[in-house]
Amino acid sequence: QVQLVESGGGLVQAGGSLRLSCAASGRTFSTYGMGWFRQAPGKEREFVAAISWNGGSTIYADSVKGRFTISRDNAKNTVYLQMNSLKPEDTAVYYCAADRERLRGPRTRPPDFGSWGQGTQVTVSS
């Protein structure tokens, strides 16, 4: 099982940028698709972005398309989420997750992911 640790969250003004990182343990990181999800207070966890095991395919939620970019560096066992043009509605705890199955394309449903990080808070002020 992959262990995940997120970092890079913080407080930013609307229109600003943040880059989240998710460091993974385990030699098989490069064979797992990865995803980012977020959860705002009182709301369900929602999909943000996902990337295939080899980085060749990505998918985004409509709400972040054109503003967020997911990427991965398999040599560093790290997946990133670059967030630009941030809005107050992006405020949430952001989680990275590893797919349950190896060698899959990007997926969007939380049950498809078997390992989760502890989350990092992102707060966007208006």
Side-chain angles (χ1 to χ4, degrees):
Q1 194 166 0
V2 179
Q3 295 186 332
L4 306 170
V5 178
E6 302 98 334
S7 61
L11 173 64
V12 64
Q13 289 188 332
S17 298
L18 283 174
R19 188 176 82 156
L20 305 183
S21 299
C22 174
S25 65
R27 294 179 294 174
T28 59
F29 166 79
S30 62
T31 63
Y32 288 95
M34 299 293 295
W36 285 97
F37 294 79
R38 66 187 182 187
Q39 188 166 17
K43 296 187 177 181
E44 292 187 354
R45 190 169 297 190
E46 65 173 358
F47 168 75
V48 175
I51 189 166
S52 60
W53 64 276
N54 62 356
S57 182
T58 58
I59 190 169
Y60 296 91
D62 287 344
S63 58
V64 307
K65 201 172 294 183
R67 300 188 297 123
F68 291 11
T69 302
I70 188 171
S71 62
R72 66 189 299 159
D73 185 339
N74 285 344
K76 295 182 178 180
N77 276 15
T78 302
V79 63
Y80 304 98
L81 186 68
Q82 177 67 44
M83 305 186 295
N84 298 329
S85 302
L86 283 160
K87 305 175 181 179
E89 51 263 45
D90 294 318
T91 295
V93 177
Y94 283 70
Y95 299 89
C96 70
D99 201 303
R100 289 186 181 275
E101 301 177 13
R102 298 170 63 184
L103 304 179
R104 292 294 302 256
R107 300 206 282 181
T108 64
R109 299 186 316 125
D112 292 330
F113 293 81
S115 299
W116 294 81
Q118 83 289 350
T120 185
Q121 177 71 47
V122 172
T123 303
V124 184
S125 63
S126 57

